[in-house]
Amino acid sequence: MSMKVTYIQHSGFAVEMEDKVLIFDYYRGELPAFGRDRDVYVFVSHKHYDHYQRSIFTWTGKFPRITYILSSDVEEAVPSSAPKDNMYFMEPGETLQIKAGESELLIETLRSTDEGVAFVVKTAGHTIYHAGDLNWWHWEEETDTYNRFMKEAYQKEIGMLEGMHIDAAFVPLDPRLDREYYWGLDWFMRHTDTDVVFPMHMQDQYDLYDRLMEEESALDYKTRVAHITREGQSFELD
């Protein structure tokens, strides 16, 4: 069964399958057009403004079969008017199983190195990973102790994915990290079995793809990096 992946904006993506749509970390931008007859699952990795917008709760009028899977830190930021039916909050290291049309949705969470969680979603024979802000955050202005902790924490979480086949992954590639901008994605691709990775959190600097293609360490996986150039761009995956 094929999947259609649409880049919405920043870290926001929609993954369309035959009977369901998964929407991750909506911040702003246009949702792709899809019918009201599909089950819609909205994921929020944490409450930072560029990963969570309260407007997602207005979608209940458009999509009658909508479910929200939210990091536990988002709970305090959910408006009182939001519908509480079909809303789940997840801590790091938890597993949630939901009936999803003719199949099931198995959701596992990792602990972010910033706030909230990363999601591993298994459904209809596919495995999808969305990092949220789980990344190797190496900041030049921080201490060696801080950066060493970030490295160890990130590598520990990604280690939990080793041996798992991932069809599509959404992973930060952040230019604010200067020369270390690609360390997290590079480690991820060299330590997981991932068919295609979608860079995100790029601060609208889409030329980071070209920069990554020139990195020597990317040689073994460069054909598995999606080339995102604009909002609303879609990719068909087998």
Side-chain angles (χ1 to χ4, degrees):
M1 183 183 300
S2 64
M3 297 188 295
K4 178 182 177 182
V5 175
T6 300
Y7 169 64
I8 301 172
Q9 213 273 350
H10 195 56
S11 297
F13 290 85
V15 180
E16 297 179 61
M17 302 180 188
E18 184 177 0
D19 62 346
K20 65 180 73 71
V21 181
L22 317 179
I23 301 173
F24 293 93
D25 279 15
Y26 178 83
Y27 166 36
R28 61 188 180 196
E30 295 293 326
L31 295 179
F34 49 84
R36 292 167 53 90
D37 58 336
R38 293 202 230 181
D39 293 316
V40 177
Y41 298 89
V42 180
F43 294 82
V44 178
S45 66
H46 61 295
K47 66 180 181 181
H48 287 173
Y49 77 96
D50 58 341
H51 293 259
Y52 164 65
Q53 289 295 322
R54 292 156 61 105
S55 62
I56 61 175
F57 299 112
T58 66
W59 296 347
T60 55
K62 289 195 282 187
F63 310 120
R65 303 208 307 264
I66 192 168
T67 301
Y68 297 91
I69 300 98
L70 314 172
S71 171
S72 58
D73 70 306
V74 177
E75 186 167 7
E76 64 183 27
V78 174
S80 58
S81 59
K84 299 306 187 292
D85 294 340
N86 296 325
M87 186 180 296
Y88 301 89
F89 297 96
M90 297 190 70
E91 297 276 355
E94 288 192 339
T95 300
L96 175 66
Q97 196 163 359
I98 303 174
K99 182 67 176 173
E102 297 181 358
S103 60
E104 291 182 326
L105 212 65
L106 179 63
I107 306 159
E108 301 170 351
T109 55
L110 302 180
R111 182 179 300 277
S112 176
T113 46
D114 190 357
E115 297 288 342
V117 301
F119 292 108
V120 179
V121 184
K122 300 177 182 179
T123 185
H126 296 294
T127 299
I128 299 160
Y129 169 78
H130 191 284
D133 269 354
L134 173 55
N135 192 29
W136 185 339
W137 298 109
H138 183 103
W139 301 103
E140 292 291 348
E141 63 271 22
E142 290 289 351
T143 65
D144 290 343
T145 300
Y146 174 91
N147 284 324
R148 185 169 57 252
F149 172 80
M150 280 287 143
K151 172 185 176 180
E152 293 172 354
Y154 181 72
Q155 293 181 359
K156 175 184 177 182
E157 295 301 311
I158 300 306
M160 298 180 186
L161 303 176
E162 293 196 23
M164 178 188 301
H165 177 75
I166 299 172
D167 296 277
F170 307 97
V171 178
L173 192 69
D174 196 319
R176 298 174 303 168
L177 295 172
D178 297 324
R179 63 184 180 181
E180 293 87 9
Y181 75 101
Y182 72 103
W183 281 9
L185 186 146
D186 181 74
W187 183 269
F188 179 89
M189 290 302 288
R190 289 190 291 108
H191 292 84
T192 67
D193 176 19
T194 297
D195 285 346
V196 58
V197 62
F198 292 82
M200 64 182 191
H201 219 275
M202 293 186 287
Q203 315 297 327
D204 296 329
Q205 296 187 29
Y206 301 121
D207 59 349
L208 278 181
Y209 172 88
D210 300 309
R211 187 177 170 189
L212 178 64
M213 292 300 100
E214 295 177 358
E215 300 289 353
E216 184 177 352
S217 63
L219 182 63
D220 292 338
Y221 60 81
K222 62 194 305 182
T223 60
R224 294 182 283 134
V225 181
H227 188 190
I228 296 174
T229 60
R230 58 179 175 81
E231 296 177 24
Q233 186 177 0
S234 293
F235 304 81
E236 296 286 346
L237 306 182
D238 294 330

